[in-house]
Amino acid sequence: RKEVEQDPGPFNVPEGATVAFNCTYSNSASQSFFWYRQDCRKEPKLLMSVYSSGNEDGRFTAQLNRASQYISLLIRDSKLSDSATYLCVVSLNAGGTSYGKLTFGQGTILTVHP
Amino acid sequence: GAGVSQTPSNKVTEKGKYVELRCDPISGHTALYWYRQSLGQGPEFLIYFQGTGAADDSGLPNDRFFAVRPEGSVSTLKIQRTERGDSAVYLCASRLAGQETQYFGPGTRLLVL
């Protein structure tokens, strides 16, 4: 079983749609959680961190359920510029030798069309 | 300010050759990571440096892979006797001490023929 698993996708949605991505992680010791965005042939960039209380950044809302080891990302009012691959990422981040090591899901491709 | 830079941006080599990939982290970032991303997959961790020392090299796939960071800044990933399966994008990231965010470089696309 992969450490981080995401919806296989791809997602193809019209502008203005709401789209949700889900992700599960297997290591219950994981401490930090993120969504990264990766444009075609570009490097991953941090979209947002994910907290247990849930957090929102404009049209983007992230949720974490530690009991279920489940992370989600909701994008409202999709824009053409949201088209990218979205990577679910976890980190043990518990100090020691593996501090900050990121474990990525395989990514979900989102295409927003006119 | 300047971000993480990686050179070369593309590298084509033949099976069995030796390659070196370079990473220049953001100035002042003490933590440096190497990841490898194959087509259609997320990046996979290779090695983590804290300063000059490799704090965690558990992701290196075998002893053909080696990385150094002799002065705690620039790092070089070295691959001996390259194989076609080594073809991937090699990403470098750096992080400021005490902060969570890793900043990725544009990567080096390695193609082994």
Side-chain angles (χ1 to χ4, degrees):
Chain A
R1 181 185 173 190
K2 290 185 178 179
E3 289 189 58
V4 180
E5 296 203 55
Q6 296 186 237
D7 278 350
F11 287 72
N12 192 342
V13 303
E15 274 187 288
T18 295
V19 61
F21 302 141
N22 303 314
C23 166
T24 57
Y25 60 95
S26 61
N27 191 336
S28 59
S30 299
Q31 297 289 329
S32 298
F33 309 89
F34 312 93
W35 284 99
Y36 273 71
R37 171 192 169 128
Q38 187 171 27
D39 293 299
C40 189
R41 299 181 71 84
K42 299 288 188 181
E43 70 273 22
K45 292 184 178 178
L46 178 66
L47 178 65
M48 59 197 303
S49 300
V50 189
Y51 305 111
S52 296
S53 55
N55 47 301
E56 187 173 309
D57 183 3
R59 298 180 293 108
F60 298 83
T61 301
Q63 297 275 357
L64 167 65
N65 184 321
R66 286 185 182 268
S68 303
Q69 295 179 203
Y70 171 93
I71 307 163
S72 66
L73 177 68
L74 184 76
I75 306 175
R76 292 182 300 279
D77 188 22
S78 300
K79 310 293 185 190
L80 296 176
S81 58
D82 293 334
S83 298
T85 296
Y86 289 83
L87 296 158
C88 178
V89 186
V90 305
S91 175
L92 288 174
N93 213 35
T97 59
S98 295
Y99 188 79
K101 165 188 168 183
L102 301 179
T103 302
F104 288 80
Q106 74 174 83
T108 302
I109 298 173
L110 171 66
T111 301
V112 181
H113 59 82
Chain B
V4 178
S5 62
Q6 293 187 243
T7 54
S9 53
N10 294 279
K11 176 71 178 179
V12 181
T13 191
E14 294 179 343
K15 181 174 177 296
K17 299 290 188 183
Y18 168 82
V19 296
E20 289 190 353
L21 312 179
R22 176 186 167 110
C23 171
D24 279 88
I26 295 172
S27 178
H29 283 199
T30 55
L32 185 147
Y33 305 80
W34 284 98
Y35 296 86
R36 177 169 73 171
Q37 186 171 24
S38 300
L39 195 62
Q41 301 297 316
E44 293 181 313
F45 170 79
L46 294 177
I47 187 168
Y48 156 52
F49 286 91
Q50 181 56 48
T52 60
D56 182 358
D57 65 358
S58 62
L60 295 178
N62 52 59
D63 61 6
R64 296 187 296 106
F65 288 74
F66 188 71
V68 296
R69 195 186 185 198
E71 297 179 0
S73 178
V74 171
S75 177
T76 304
L77 179 65
K78 308 180 181 192
I79 310 174
Q80 297 177 323
R81 304 183 304 281
T82 52
E83 299 178 356
R84 293 193 180 88
D86 298 335
S87 297
V89 177
Y90 289 80
L91 293 161
C92 176
S94 71
R95 176 179 59 80
L96 189 62
Q99 294 191 4
E100 280 189 327
T101 303
Q102 293 185 25
Y103 297 88
F104 283 80
T108 294
R109 296 182 177 279
L110 176 66
L111 177 61
V112 182
L113 300 176

